[in-house]
């Protein structure tokens, strides 16, 4: 991961704005969205009107691409995705006959998405950790459906989207093992060149360098004629550190009962939002609007 980027750029320079948001504990909380999807779309539309250049919302999560596209459809806000804790990223492509059958093109509902996998497959990850008994206990995909329901996967379809659609990572349940066993899994994975990061309720095992490198790839993708987007990132947990570090504007959501993650709050020029949980998300939009207004004055 490179050092934190400068945040000296202003929307008056005509840069488009790309917001990359973590999902669980940031955009979504235990009770769901802090606002209705309509209010979220309205807030983004108001920001778009003030910004003076295109504004786009993307999701960056340890969730699978299938889960993220389902969430985007529910919100009515399509956009780029960083999935499986940075193990892959995807952008929309206009429907065209030449896209059919291409290995880098996936269809999600009516959307065609160019998808780039930048980490080892989940099969390879399990081979690397096959001799670790504690890992097998914590590997969520190995649990029966009865156990998955107790973990919040209410239907087989939800389990498929979260677990069986996972291609470049393994979802680890920290409550299935003791703290010392979890430490052993983390230490062993690091010794083998893998990363185990916390993202809300779960830990995700990947060979990826986190969400940050995927953000850099998106920045390059959206750079047109030498003009790259201004990137704002918002997150709340350990697996958001590289995401915020690579962004131009950094927003930190407070975790209920735990406050802001110390490593996120310590990033240069990071803004710790006042509201706990996802309630701070709309506050971020207000601050971005104020930034746009200040750049015009």
């Amino acid at each position: 991961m490179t050092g934190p980027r400068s945040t000296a750029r202003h929307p008056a320079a005509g840069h488009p704005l790309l917001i990359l948001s973590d999902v669980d504990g940031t955009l979504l909380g235990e009770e769901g969205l802090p606002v209705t999807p309509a209010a979220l779309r309205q807030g983004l539309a108001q920001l778009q009107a003030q910004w003076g250049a295109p504004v786009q919302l993307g999701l960056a999560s340890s969730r699978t691409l299938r889960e993220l596209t389902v969430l985007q459809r529910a919100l009515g806000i399509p956009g780029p995705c960083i999935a499986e804790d940075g193990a892959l990223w995807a952008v929309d492509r206009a429907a065209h006959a030449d896209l059919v059958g291409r290995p880098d093109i996936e269809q999600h509902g009516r959307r065609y998405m160019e998808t780039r996998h930048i980490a080892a497959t989940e099969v390879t990850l399990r081979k690397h950790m096959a001799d670790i008994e504690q890992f097998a206990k914590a590997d969520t995909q190995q649990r029966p459906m009865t156990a998955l329901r107790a973990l919040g996967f209410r239907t087989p379809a939800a389990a498929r989207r979260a677990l069986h659609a996972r291609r470049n990572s393994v979802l680890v349940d920290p409550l299935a093992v003791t703290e010392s066993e979890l430490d052993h899994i983390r230490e062993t994975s690091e010794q083998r060149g893998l990363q185990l990061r916390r993202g809300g309720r779960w830990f995700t095992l990947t060979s990826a360098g986190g969400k940050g490198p995927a953000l850099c790839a998106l920045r390059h993708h959206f750079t047109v004629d030498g003009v790259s987007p201004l990137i704002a990132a918002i997150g709340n947990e350990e697996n958001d550190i590289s995401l915020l570090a690579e962004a131009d504007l950094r927003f930190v959501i407070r975790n209920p009962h735990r406050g802001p993650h110390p490593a996120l709050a310590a990033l240069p020029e990071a803004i710790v939002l006042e509201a706990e949980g996802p309630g701070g998300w709309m506050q971020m939009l207000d601050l971005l609007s104020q930034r746009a207004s200040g750049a015009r004055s």
Side-chain angles (χ1 to χ4, degrees), residues 1-2 4 20-28 58-63 68 82-86 196-202 204 209-213 215 231-255 258-267 270 281:
M1 183 182 73
T2 60
L20 283 170
S21 175
D22 174 51
V23 174
D24 294 286
T26 299
L27 181 63
L28 299 181
L59 302 181
S61 174
S62 57
R63 293 192 184 208
L68 295 182
I82 296 173
E84 299 189 39
D85 208 21
L196 185 71
R197 302 183 189 88
R198 181 177 180 176
R201 163 74 170 78
W202 313 98
T204 304
K211 300 176 184 179
L215 182 153
I231 296 182
I234 180 169
N236 74 312
E237 264 301 351
E238 173 189 17
N239 66 338
D240 297 316
I241 296 172
S242 67
L243 179 75
L244 269 64
E246 290 293 347
D248 302 302
L249 304 172
R250 308 177 185 97
F251 297 93
V252 180
I253 291 282
R254 296 175 185 270
N255 294 303
R258 291 189 288 122
H261 192 286
L264 293 177
L267 288 171
W281 210 93

